[in-house]
Amino acid sequence: MSDTSILKVAVNVPLSTAFDYRPLAGTPLPEPGARVLVPFGRRQQVGLVLEHADSSEIPLEKLRRCSQLLDARPLLSANDLWLIRFTSDYYHHPIGEVAATALPALLRHGKALHPKVEMVAITSAAATADFESLRRRAPKQAELLELLVDAGDGGMDADLLTETLPNWRRVAKALREKGLLSGFESRAPDYDERIVAEKAADHELNAGQSDALKSLRTSDAFAAFLLDGVTGSGKTEVYLHRMRDVIDRGLQVLVLVPEIGLTPQLVDRLRARLGIEPVLLHSGLSDIARLSAWRAARSGAARLIVGTRSAIFTPLPNAGLIIVDEEHDHSFKQQEGLRYSARDLAIAKAKHLDIPIILGSATPTLEMLQHCRNGGYQHLLLPTRAGDAQPPQVRLIDTIRTPATDGVSEPLGAAIEKHLNAGGQALIFLNRRGFAPTLICNGCGHIAGCQRCDSRLTVHANSKLLRCHHCGATRPLTDTCDECGENVKPLGEGTERLEESLTARFPGHTIKRIDSDSTQRKGSMHAALQSATRGDADILVGTQMLSKGHHFPNLTLVGIVNADQGLFGTDFRSSERMAQSIVQVAGRSGREHRAGEVLIQTAFPDNAFWKTLIDGGYRQISDEALAEREITRWPPYTRLALLRSAATRHADAHRFLDVARRFLANDSSDALRILGPVDAPMARKAGRYRAQLLLQSSDRSTLHHVLRRLRPLLENDATARKVRWSIDVDPIELF
């Protein structure tokens, strides 16, 4: 056995170490980046080889051997392994769980890179089939057969067939008995980039766009550019020009978007302008489809990859550019398990690969703006809307003087009618789904609460349910109080109630609600957005989902129903987030040649926040917020880490954090501030009591040094066995 015959293997378990194994006798030594099957406890686990070593703390004779070599050649390159190590180190998360996150589910479970797939095809007898007769007698059979005829002799992937015709297997049995259809297994095909259209001509850029593009073209090496453009300023147009530069050189472009709902419009535009089919990577794909897309990116065959958060781990052998669209969006931060920021990892990845990165937003985070102030990033401004479009007129509606009925005040109702009569489209925004946020008793005042969380149950009138939006618990909606038997009533408004109110007020108009409840079925979000873009709906009612990058040509009015939710928030980011939300949704209005209007309903029209936002825009809000953060020493002027614990007993959650605090108090320096432990703002969720300990430091290296020592100590402490705990570096939610 050679000196380098010890393998450091990452195994998907919650322990902050790689594990030492000896290679399987008689097989080639697995290279770093290859998967192996290893014995772990009493089970067999898929592991990823990180490196070779010439020694181990465990005696060689006690080291267990790998059970199987799963990859003859590495799945991941040295660059990919670097990102896994960096993520594990920066977020202080077990490297085996990071490695698992970086791989598609099928590879994580030990399947082959090119798995066998079930194929379905027509037989030679189908060429003489009587399709006319079949359409009359068995239209479903005819539909399936015609679909397979169009697929050609190679047939069609059964998973893809299921997406197109969900019940095809019942129909296939009859066709198979007639000898018209056959099934077989085939190796998953390699990706072949499809040229889907001639490249559409580039749009002429305005002066601001041209200046931004000129700056972006100054370097093909690492540089971070913040493309800060007002809504409707044409950021995507600038992306497209720069993407074409890179793709024409045979290099790959990775575009990160915050949510699946943003991909259809963007993909349609990329396809038309660049002439190639983008490869998509997001959670809505089947496991086979996701592996196929990942494989295409890994081979370099796919030059354009569009994905959500986890796509940052996709191998890119010919990387030339990374774009993070809507960089401010909270969806880029994973809130469970490995709590990473895809935006921040994108910057780290671009720097490591020595390629440029573009971060686009109409409402940049204060962290990115501070990087620009410090000179680390280049700040590219697009201060005006593209074409002839003008910024919308914004005014406040005082809901104390003109109260809202079921969410809609008289001035807002009149404005909706005016815009509809002029042929425009209205968007009514309320970031609260359901019918009403509270069910209250008329007699005793009891409020329906969740038995597993410290939260109220939301009324969902359409499904006749009370639902907890935190743990998912439901119970039937009743007319009487559980406590005293008196009648109950919904209090407050959600999007369902708003939809009902508008339907009653505007009976001759089409109203479409777009929120996570109305778009649960696959493809429903895309269909709803297409319908809205075509102008099929006169009034759109929706949540935050409607504020994110969508383009509605006929939209001339935006009404914001309850704008006060963030005015008095306890989180230090409340005003920043509120401004981002309002500016983003307001930006949907007046995107083409028609003037836009934005009406904001508020019970506090004299609050200084409104004057700052309306007179100075997001720029003034962010300048004031940065000045305040510098005085109070909150990010981006300090660094945070949040240690969370959750347990079935309140005392256990706090006892674990007390252990951590004692260690930190003994080991920390003056550069570290420790706050807590305290109950989380929602102390009980899903039946578990939650507590947290906040670490704050003006020196990043001090914070990470402490966390690096803290994690292994906590993993080995007896109190950890009674809690679920996590470390969240750079948290965006202090809950």
Side-chain angles (χ1 to χ4, degrees):
M1 181 174 292
S2 69
D3 290 337
T4 57
S5 59
I6 296 171
L7 306 178
K8 296 285 186 181
V9 179
V11 182
N12 187 10
V13 293
L15 296 172
S16 299
T17 183
F19 297 91
D20 294 352
Y21 286 90
R22 296 167 69 188
L24 187 64
T27 62
L29 191 66
E31 295 181 50
R35 293 171 304 151
V36 288
L37 195 65
V38 296
F40 194 88
R42 297 180 179 180
R43 296 178 299 156
Q44 294 289 316
Q45 291 266 75
V46 175
L48 182 72
V49 178
L50 297 175
E51 59 183 322
H52 299 161
D54 55 11
S55 64
S56 172
E57 293 180 2
I58 300 172
L60 194 62
E61 63 274 10
K62 291 187 177 181
L63 284 181
R64 303 170 82 179
R65 287 190 181 273
C66 296
S67 305
Q68 186 180 344
L69 174 60
L70 297 176
D71 302 307
R73 285 183 289 184
L75 281 182
L76 301 178
S77 69
N79 287 330
D80 304 321
L81 293 177
W82 175 88
L83 184 62
I84 288 172
R85 289 192 186 93
F86 175 85
T87 303
S88 175
D89 186 55
Y90 186 84
Y91 292 104
H92 302 276
H93 197 83
I95 195 163
E97 293 186 351
V98 176
T101 300
L103 293 173
L106 291 177
L107 297 181
R108 198 160 60 236
H109 298 145
K111 302 297 184 183
L113 179 61
H114 288 270
K116 295 287 186 181
V117 294
E118 180 187 359
M119 302 294 293
V120 185
I122 57 170
T123 64
S124 57
T128 58
D130 185 352
F131 278 87
E132 288 301 323
S133 174
L134 195 61
R135 287 191 194 99
R136 289 193 302 272
R137 291 183 294 103
K140 292 291 185 183
Q141 292 181 32
E143 184 182 15
L144 174 57
L145 205 59
E146 287 171 344
L147 191 63
L148 293 172
V149 167
D150 291 342
D153 295 338
M156 197 168 179
D157 182 336
D159 284 340
L160 182 59
L161 200 52
T162 300
E163 291 182 18
T164 311
L165 293 174
N167 298 317
W168 69 272
R169 291 186 186 276
R170 285 187 294 184
V171 179
K173 183 178 179 183
L175 292 175
R176 193 174 284 111
E177 290 171 353
K178 294 174 183 177
L180 301 177
L181 181 149
S182 67
F184 58 95
E185 279 195 339
S186 175
R187 179 180 182 269
D190 285 321
Y191 173 80
D192 184 19
E193 185 173 72
R194 285 189 289 147
I195 307 298
V196 295
E198 287 292 323
K199 296 177 186 176
D202 281 338
H203 293 187
E204 186 174 345
L205 302 180
N206 61 30
Q209 291 171 317
S210 295
D211 289 344
L213 182 61
K214 184 177 179 181
S215 296
L216 292 174
R217 284 173 167 165
T218 55
S219 176
D220 292 322
F222 173 71
F225 300 93
L226 177 62
L227 188 58
D228 178 359
V230 298
T231 52
S233 59
K235 292 184 290 294
T236 304
E237 197 60 45
V238 178
Y239 296 158
L240 283 163
H241 281 71
R242 189 65 181 118
M243 289 162 70
R244 180 172 285 185
D245 294 344
V246 174
I247 289 172
D248 285 349
R249 289 166 46 216
L251 299 177
Q252 293 174 293
V253 175
L254 172 63
V255 182
L256 293 181
V257 294
E259 293 184 0
I260 302 170
L262 283 180
T263 57
Q265 282 187 329
L266 178 62
V267 166
D268 289 346
R269 196 167 174 185
L270 295 176
R271 185 188 296 119
R273 290 291 299 282
L274 300 174
I276 58 177
E277 187 71 33
V279 162
L280 303 183
L281 280 161
H282 56 70
S283 60
L285 299 175
S286 68
D287 287 345
I288 286 285
R290 188 174 182 88
L291 176 57
S292 176
W294 187 89
R295 198 168 52 232
R298 172 187 174 273
S299 70
R303 290 179 292 168
L304 177 57
I305 300 97
V306 179
T308 49
R309 185 172 56 224
S310 61
I312 188 57
F313 294 105
T314 306
L316 301 173
N318 302 316
L321 174 67
I322 297 176
I323 296 172
V324 182
D325 193 31
E326 309 291 351
E327 68 80 16
H328 66 277
D329 199 285
H330 300 159
S331 300
F332 284 123
K333 181 70 189 279
Q334 171 77 20
Q335 296 290 0
E336 298 292 337
L338 169 58
R339 297 169 186 263
Y340 68 94
S341 163
R343 179 202 63 193
D344 294 348
L345 287 184
I347 297 167
K349 183 169 183 170
K351 186 172 184 179
H352 180 74
L353 297 176
D354 197 25
I355 61 172
I357 181 169
I358 305 172
L359 306 145
S361 178
T363 54
T365 56
L366 301 194
E367 284 78 5
M368 296 301 106
L369 290 171
Q370 184 63 16
H371 279 301
C372 293
R373 285 185 172 189
N374 292 338
Y377 299 176
Q378 294 190 47
H379 198 176
L380 309 179
L381 293 170
L382 297 177
T384 59
R385 287 189 161 192
D388 300 324
Q390 296 299 312
Q393 296 297 311
V394 181
R395 66 186 171 92
L396 302 176
I397 297 173
D398 184 347
T399 54
I400 300 299
R401 294 185 177 182
T402 55
T405 303
D406 289 336
V408 181
S409 65
E410 280 306 313
L412 178 57
I416 294 171
E417 188 167 7
K418 171 187 158 189
H419 281 261
L420 294 180
N421 290 339
Q425 189 180 43
L427 187 163
I428 310 303
F429 175 80
L430 174 61
N431 202 29
R432 183 184 284 152
R433 59 191 174 97
F435 185 83
T438 306
L439 188 71
I440 189 169
C441 175
N442 290 326
C444 68
H446 173 72
I447 293 174
C450 178
Q451 295 181 348
R452 306 179 69 225
C453 304
D454 292 337
S455 68
R456 297 166 180 173
L457 292 172
T458 299
V459 179
H460 285 258
N462 290 350
S463 56
K464 294 183 172 54
L465 290 174
L466 290 170
R467 185 185 302 276
C468 177
H469 287 178
H470 299 281
C471 73
T474 61
R475 62 183 175 90
L477 175 62
T478 59
D479 297 327
T480 56
C481 177
D482 294 338
E483 297 292 315
C484 71
E486 290 292 319
N487 291 334
V488 293
K489 67 176 181 180
L491 187 65
E493 298 86 28
T495 48
E496 277 184 24
R497 190 171 202 163
L498 200 53
E499 179 188 25
E500 182 181 280
S501 170
L502 292 166
T503 299
R505 183 159 185 159
F506 301 100
H509 294 278
T510 304
I511 298 170
K512 183 173 286 293
R513 174 167 55 91
I514 300 179
D515 57 25
S516 57
D517 293 325
S518 66
T519 56
Q520 287 182 347
R521 285 184 297 128
K522 187 170 185 176
S524 58
M525 180 68 177
H526 187 199
L529 290 173
Q530 280 188 320
S531 174
T533 302
R534 289 193 303 266
D536 296 345
D538 302 312
I539 303 175
L540 304 174
V541 177
T543 58
Q544 200 78 21
M545 296 172 74
L546 278 177
S547 70
K548 299 182 178 183
H550 306 300
H551 179 72
F552 305 121
N554 299 322
L555 187 68
T556 55
L557 173 68
V558 168
I560 301 175
V561 168
N562 184 357
D564 297 331
Q565 294 181 53
L567 277 182
F568 307 105
T570 56
D571 193 301
F572 69 90
R573 290 191 175 95
S574 292
S575 63
E576 177 190 5
R577 288 177 177 165
M578 186 173 174
Q580 287 170 338
S581 177
I582 290 173
V583 169
Q584 289 288 337
V585 73
R588 305 308 113 205
S589 171
R591 296 287 287 263
E592 299 272 331
H593 303 295
R594 304 172 70 174
E597 184 178 14
V598 178
L599 299 182
I600 301 173
Q601 292 186 166
T602 175
F604 305 94
D606 296 327
N607 190 289
F609 173 87
W610 298 119
K611 179 173 176 55
T612 303
L613 182 65
I614 293 171
D615 293 347
Y618 183 76
R619 179 69 50 79
Q620 185 66 32
I621 289 282
S622 58
D623 284 347
E624 290 187 6
L626 277 169
E628 182 180 303
R629 301 261 189 98
E630 186 171 17
I631 294 170
T632 56
R633 304 310 295 165
W634 285 107
Y637 297 96
T638 56
R639 296 282 176 169
L640 301 180
L642 195 63
L643 180 60
R644 294 187 175 93
S645 68
T648 54
R649 296 197 310 171
H650 182 271
D652 289 338
H654 277 264
R655 190 174 294 114
F656 171 77
L657 295 181
D658 286 335
V659 170
R661 183 179 177 93
R662 284 196 297 273
F663 169 79
L664 293 168
N666 293 332
D667 193 59
S668 62
S669 67
D670 293 339
L672 184 71
R673 184 184 180 199
I674 308 166
L675 301 172
V678 295
D679 285 345
M682 182 183 291
R684 190 170 59 103
K685 180 178 178 181
R688 288 182 175 269
Y689 293 94
R690 307 187 306 157
Q692 57 191 40
L693 185 71
L694 184 66
L695 281 61
Q696 184 180 35
S697 179
S698 55
D699 178 50
R700 179 195 288 180
S701 62
T702 296
L703 182 64
H704 284 277
H705 171 75
V706 168
L707 291 174
R708 205 167 287 120
R709 290 171 54 83
L710 177 64
R711 178 158 196 116
L713 179 140
L714 294 178
E715 286 179 351
N716 294 316
D717 193 88
T719 59
R721 298 171 195 158
K722 297 181 179 180
V723 301
R724 295 176 182 173
W725 64 280
S726 64
I727 295 174
D728 189 356
V729 177
D730 302 331
I732 62 169
E733 298 282 359
L734 300 184
F735 61 85

PDB file of all heavy atoms in Angstrom, residues 43-64:
ATOM      1  N   ARG A  43     -24.567   1.242   8.420  1.00  0.00           N
ATOM      2  CA  ARG A  43     -25.126   1.494   7.086  1.00  0.00           C
ATOM      3  C   ARG A  43     -24.029   1.704   6.058  1.00  0.00           C
ATOM      4  O   ARG A  43     -22.865   1.907   6.389  1.00  0.00           O
ATOM      5  CB  ARG A  43     -26.020   2.736   7.119  1.00  0.00           C
ATOM      6  CG  ARG A  43     -27.259   2.602   8.005  1.00  0.00           C
ATOM      7  CD  ARG A  43     -28.031   3.917   7.988  1.00  0.00           C
ATOM      8  NE  ARG A  43     -27.220   5.025   8.516  1.00  0.00           N
ATOM      9  CZ  ARG A  43     -27.417   6.307   8.222  1.00  0.00           C
ATOM     10  NH1 ARG A  43     -28.368   6.644   7.379  1.00  0.00           N
ATOM     11  NH2 ARG A  43     -26.651   7.248   8.758  1.00  0.00           N
ATOM     12  N   GLN A  44     -24.443   1.679   4.803  1.00  0.00           N
ATOM     13  CA  GLN A  44     -23.568   2.055   3.701  1.00  0.00           C
ATOM     14  C   GLN A  44     -23.970   3.461   3.250  1.00  0.00           C
ATOM     15  O   GLN A  44     -25.150   3.734   3.028  1.00  0.00           O
ATOM     16  CB  GLN A  44     -23.712   1.077   2.531  1.00  0.00           C
ATOM     17  CG  GLN A  44     -23.219  -0.332   2.839  1.00  0.00           C
ATOM     18  CD  GLN A  44     -21.699  -0.389   2.952  1.00  0.00           C
ATOM     19  OE1 GLN A  44     -20.976   0.186   2.146  1.00  0.00           O
ATOM     20  NE2 GLN A  44     -21.210  -1.090   3.975  1.00  0.00           N
ATOM     21  N   GLN A  45     -22.989   4.352   3.149  1.00  0.00           N
ATOM     22  CA  GLN A  45     -23.258   5.740   2.795  1.00  0.00           C
ATOM     23  C   GLN A  45     -22.472   6.128   1.543  1.00  0.00           C
ATOM     24  O   GLN A  45     -21.350   5.647   1.331  1.00  0.00           O
ATOM     25  CB  GLN A  45     -22.835   6.672   3.934  1.00  0.00           C
ATOM     26  CG  GLN A  45     -23.683   6.568   5.191  1.00  0.00           C
ATOM     27  CD  GLN A  45     -24.792   7.586   5.185  1.00  0.00           C
ATOM     28  OE1 GLN A  45     -25.774   7.418   4.468  1.00  0.00           O
ATOM     29  NE2 GLN A  45     -24.651   8.628   5.977  1.00  0.00           N
ATOM     30  N   VAL A  46     -23.053   7.014   0.756  1.00  0.00           N
ATOM     31  CA  VAL A  46     -22.330   7.595  -0.380  1.00  0.00           C
ATOM     32  C   VAL A  46     -21.443   8.709   0.152  1.00  0.00           C
ATOM     33  O   VAL A  46     -21.911   9.604   0.872  1.00  0.00           O
ATOM     34  CB  VAL A  46     -23.301   8.142  -1.433  1.00  0.00           C
ATOM     35  CG1 VAL A  46     -22.530   8.852  -2.551  1.00  0.00           C
ATOM     36  CG2 VAL A  46     -24.148   7.018  -2.009  1.00  0.00           C
ATOM     37  N   GLY A  47     -20.168   8.661  -0.172  1.00  0.00           N
ATOM     38  CA  GLY A  47     -19.233   9.694   0.258  1.00  0.00           C
ATOM     39  C   GLY A  47     -18.505  10.304  -0.922  1.00  0.00           C
ATOM     40  O   GLY A  47     -18.458   9.718  -2.017  1.00  0.00           O
ATOM     41  N   LEU A  48     -17.947  11.470  -0.718  1.00  0.00           N
ATOM     42  CA  LEU A  48     -17.189  12.168  -1.754  1.00  0.00           C
ATOM     43  C   LEU A  48     -15.737  12.267  -1.317  1.00  0.00           C
ATOM     44  O   LEU A  48     -15.441  12.767  -0.217  1.00  0.00           O
ATOM     45  CB  LEU A  48     -17.764  13.571  -1.967  1.00  0.00           C
ATOM     46  CG  LEU A  48     -17.112  14.412  -3.066  1.00  0.00           C
ATOM     47  CD1 LEU A  48     -17.489  13.878  -4.446  1.00  0.00           C
ATOM     48  CD2 LEU A  48     -17.514  15.879  -2.941  1.00  0.00           C
ATOM     49  N   VAL A  49     -14.834  11.785  -2.149  1.00  0.00           N
ATOM     50  CA  VAL A  49     -13.401  11.853  -1.835  1.00  0.00           C
ATOM     51  C   VAL A  49     -12.939  13.301  -1.964  1.00  0.00           C
ATOM     52  O   VAL A  49     -13.079  13.917  -3.023  1.00  0.00           O
ATOM     53  CB  VAL A  49     -12.581  10.949  -2.769  1.00  0.00           C
ATOM     54  CG1 VAL A  49     -11.090  11.082  -2.446  1.00  0.00           C
ATOM     55  CG2 VAL A  49     -13.033   9.498  -2.649  1.00  0.00           C
ATOM     56  N   LEU A  50     -12.386  13.833  -0.881  1.00  0.00           N
ATOM     57  CA  LEU A  50     -11.907  15.210  -0.881  1.00  0.00           C
ATOM     58  C   LEU A  50     -10.421  15.298  -1.209  1.00  0.00           C
ATOM     59  O   LEU A  50      -9.982  16.201  -1.926  1.00  0.00           O
ATOM     60  CB  LEU A  50     -12.162  15.857   0.483  1.00  0.00           C
ATOM     61  CG  LEU A  50     -13.632  15.999   0.905  1.00  0.00           C
ATOM     62  CD1 LEU A  50     -13.711  16.549   2.324  1.00  0.00           C
ATOM     63  CD2 LEU A  50     -14.386  16.909  -0.058  1.00  0.00           C
ATOM     64  N   GLU A  51      -9.654  14.338  -0.657  1.00  0.00           N
ATOM     65  CA  GLU A  51      -8.212  14.357  -0.894  1.00  0.00           C
ATOM     66  C   GLU A  51      -7.606  13.033  -0.447  1.00  0.00           C
ATOM     67  O   GLU A  51      -8.262  12.210   0.187  1.00  0.00           O
ATOM     68  CB  GLU A  51      -7.568  15.516  -0.130  1.00  0.00           C
ATOM     69  CG  GLU A  51      -7.778  15.453   1.374  1.00  0.00           C
ATOM     70  CD  GLU A  51      -7.190  16.660   2.090  1.00  0.00           C
ATOM     71  OE1 GLU A  51      -6.115  17.117   1.665  1.00  0.00           O
ATOM     72  OE2 GLU A  51      -7.794  17.130   3.067  1.00  0.00           O
ATOM     73  N   HIS A  52      -6.331  12.852  -0.811  1.00  0.00           N
ATOM     74  CA  HIS A  52      -5.556  11.706  -0.332  1.00  0.00           C
ATOM     75  C   HIS A  52      -4.664  12.172   0.819  1.00  0.00           C
ATOM     76  O   HIS A  52      -4.258  13.331   0.867  1.00  0.00           O
ATOM     77  CB  HIS A  52      -4.676  11.153  -1.454  1.00  0.00           C
ATOM     78  CG  HIS A  52      -5.456  10.674  -2.642  1.00  0.00           C
ATOM     79  ND1 HIS A  52      -4.891  10.502  -3.886  1.00  0.00           N
ATOM     80  CD2 HIS A  52      -6.765  10.324  -2.774  1.00  0.00           C
ATOM     81  CE1 HIS A  52      -5.810  10.069  -4.723  1.00  0.00           C
ATOM     82  NE2 HIS A  52      -6.954   9.958  -4.073  1.00  0.00           N
ATOM     83  N   ALA A  53      -4.389  11.266   1.733  1.00  0.00           N
ATOM     84  CA  ALA A  53      -3.516  11.596   2.864  1.00  0.00           C
ATOM     85  C   ALA A  53      -2.505  10.476   3.062  1.00  0.00           C
ATOM     86  O   ALA A  53      -2.729   9.330   2.650  1.00  0.00           O
ATOM     87  CB  ALA A  53      -4.343  11.800   4.127  1.00  0.00           C
ATOM     88  N   ASP A  54      -1.376  10.806   3.686  1.00  0.00           N
ATOM     89  CA  ASP A  54      -0.353   9.787   3.938  1.00  0.00           C
ATOM     90  C   ASP A  54      -0.336   9.344   5.397  1.00  0.00           C
ATOM     91  O   ASP A  54       0.501   8.539   5.796  1.00  0.00           O
ATOM     92  CB  ASP A  54       1.034  10.297   3.519  1.00  0.00           C
ATOM     93  CG  ASP A  54       1.390  11.608   4.195  1.00  0.00           C
ATOM     94  OD1 ASP A  54       0.656  12.016   5.136  1.00  0.00           O
ATOM     95  OD2 ASP A  54       2.384  12.224   3.792  1.00  0.00           O
ATOM     96  N   SER A  55      -1.283   9.891   6.199  1.00  0.00           N
ATOM     97  CA  SER A  55      -1.354   9.460   7.598  1.00  0.00           C
ATOM     98  C   SER A  55      -2.760   9.698   8.123  1.00  0.00           C
ATOM     99  O   SER A  55      -3.550  10.429   7.528  1.00  0.00           O
ATOM    100  CB  SER A  55      -0.334  10.227   8.451  1.00  0.00           C
ATOM    101  OG  SER A  55      -0.646  11.609   8.472  1.00  0.00           O
ATOM    102  N   SER A  56      -3.036   9.062   9.262  1.00  0.00           N
ATOM    103  CA  SER A  56      -4.337   9.209   9.895  1.00  0.00           C
ATOM    104  C   SER A  56      -4.158   9.131  11.405  1.00  0.00           C
ATOM    105  O   SER A  56      -3.218   8.496  11.898  1.00  0.00           O
ATOM    106  CB  SER A  56      -5.290   8.101   9.438  1.00  0.00           C
ATOM    107  OG  SER A  56      -6.493   8.119  10.191  1.00  0.00           O
ATOM    108  N   GLU A  57      -5.056   9.794  12.151  1.00  0.00           N
ATOM    109  CA  GLU A  57      -5.007   9.699  13.608  1.00  0.00           C
ATOM    110  C   GLU A  57      -5.440   8.314  14.079  1.00  0.00           C
ATOM    111  O   GLU A  57      -5.174   7.924  15.211  1.00  0.00           O
ATOM    112  CB  GLU A  57      -5.915  10.772  14.231  1.00  0.00           C
ATOM    113  CG  GLU A  57      -5.419  12.194  13.993  1.00  0.00           C
ATOM    114  CD  GLU A  57      -6.337  13.228  14.613  1.00  0.00           C
ATOM    115  OE1 GLU A  57      -7.330  12.816  15.261  1.00  0.00           O
ATOM    116  OE2 GLU A  57      -6.066  14.430  14.462  1.00  0.00           O
ATOM    117  N   ILE A  58      -6.119   7.587  13.202  1.00  0.00           N
ATOM    118  CA  ILE A  58      -6.567   6.228  13.526  1.00  0.00           C
ATOM    119  C   ILE A  58      -5.525   5.242  12.997  1.00  0.00           C
ATOM    120  O   ILE A  58      -5.045   5.392  11.871  1.00  0.00           O
ATOM    121  CB  ILE A  58      -7.942   5.950  12.887  1.00  0.00           C
ATOM    122  CG1 ILE A  58      -8.967   6.964  13.420  1.00  0.00           C
ATOM    123  CG2 ILE A  58      -8.416   4.529  13.184  1.00  0.00           C
ATOM    124  CD1 ILE A  58     -10.300   6.912  12.716  1.00  0.00           C
ATOM    125  N   PRO A  59      -5.161   4.252  13.770  1.00  0.00           N
ATOM    126  CA  PRO A  59      -4.195   3.258  13.275  1.00  0.00           C
ATOM    127  C   PRO A  59      -4.677   2.636  11.964  1.00  0.00           C
ATOM    128  O   PRO A  59      -5.868   2.355  11.788  1.00  0.00           O
ATOM    129  CB  PRO A  59      -4.151   2.217  14.402  1.00  0.00           C
ATOM    130  CG  PRO A  59      -4.571   2.965  15.620  1.00  0.00           C
ATOM    131  CD  PRO A  59      -5.565   3.978  15.161  1.00  0.00           C
ATOM    132  N   LEU A  60      -3.734   2.418  11.068  1.00  0.00           N
ATOM    133  CA  LEU A  60      -4.063   1.939   9.731  1.00  0.00           C
ATOM    134  C   LEU A  60      -4.866   0.644   9.771  1.00  0.00           C
ATOM    135  O   LEU A  60      -5.820   0.461   9.005  1.00  0.00           O
ATOM    136  CB  LEU A  60      -2.759   1.730   8.938  1.00  0.00           C
ATOM    137  CG  LEU A  60      -2.902   1.562   7.428  1.00  0.00           C
ATOM    138  CD1 LEU A  60      -3.513   2.802   6.794  1.00  0.00           C
ATOM    139  CD2 LEU A  60      -1.542   1.261   6.796  1.00  0.00           C
ATOM    140  N   GLU A  61      -4.529  -0.244  10.683  1.00  0.00           N
ATOM    141  CA  GLU A  61      -5.214  -1.536  10.729  1.00  0.00           C
ATOM    142  C   GLU A  61      -6.667  -1.408  11.197  1.00  0.00           C
ATOM    143  O   GLU A  61      -7.476  -2.326  10.989  1.00  0.00           O
ATOM    144  CB  GLU A  61      -4.458  -2.515  11.637  1.00  0.00           C
ATOM    145  CG  GLU A  61      -4.356  -2.109  13.099  1.00  0.00           C
ATOM    146  CD  GLU A  61      -3.177  -1.196  13.388  1.00  0.00           C
ATOM    147  OE1 GLU A  61      -2.535  -0.725  12.408  1.00  0.00           O
ATOM    148  OE2 GLU A  61      -2.892  -0.938  14.584  1.00  0.00           O
ATOM    149  N   LYS A  62      -7.016  -0.275  11.808  1.00  0.00           N
ATOM    150  CA  LYS A  62      -8.394  -0.087  12.266  1.00  0.00           C
ATOM    151  C   LYS A  62      -9.253   0.692  11.265  1.00  0.00           C
ATOM    152  O   LYS A  62     -10.465   0.820  11.449  1.00  0.00           O
ATOM    153  CB  LYS A  62      -8.406   0.639  13.612  1.00  0.00           C
ATOM    154  CG  LYS A  62      -7.858  -0.199  14.761  1.00  0.00           C
ATOM    155  CD  LYS A  62      -8.058   0.498  16.093  1.00  0.00           C
ATOM    156  CE  LYS A  62      -7.571  -0.386  17.249  1.00  0.00           C
ATOM    157  NZ  LYS A  62      -7.788   0.278  18.559  1.00  0.00           N
ATOM    158  N   LEU A  63      -8.611   1.215  10.218  1.00  0.00           N
ATOM    159  CA  LEU A  63      -9.372   1.949   9.213  1.00  0.00           C
ATOM    160  C   LEU A  63     -10.193   0.986   8.361  1.00  0.00           C
ATOM    161  O   LEU A  63      -9.696  -0.051   7.922  1.00  0.00           O
ATOM    162  CB  LEU A  63      -8.430   2.750   8.295  1.00  0.00           C
ATOM    163  CG  LEU A  63      -7.821   4.032   8.856  1.00  0.00           C
ATOM    164  CD1 LEU A  63      -6.946   4.690   7.803  1.00  0.00           C
ATOM    165  CD2 LEU A  63      -8.906   4.998   9.310  1.00  0.00           C
ATOM    166  N   ARG A  64     -11.435   1.345   8.108  1.00  0.00           N
ATOM    167  CA  ARG A  64     -12.288   0.516   7.272  1.00  0.00           C
ATOM    168  C   ARG A  64     -12.052   0.848   5.802  1.00  0.00           C
ATOM    169  O   ARG A  64     -11.643   1.963   5.459  1.00  0.00           O
ATOM    170  CB  ARG A  64     -13.762   0.737   7.639  1.00  0.00           C
ATOM    171  CG  ARG A  64     -14.027   0.452   9.110  1.00  0.00           C
ATOM    172  CD  ARG A  64     -15.414   0.887   9.541  1.00  0.00           C
ATOM    173  NE  ARG A  64     -16.422  -0.108   9.194  1.00  0.00           N
ATOM    174  CZ  ARG A  64     -17.713   0.015   9.476  1.00  0.00           C
ATOM    175  NH1 ARG A  64     -18.148   1.108  10.111  1.00  0.00           N
ATOM    176  NH2 ARG A  64     -18.577  -0.923   9.142  1.00  0.00           N
TER     177      ARG A  64
END
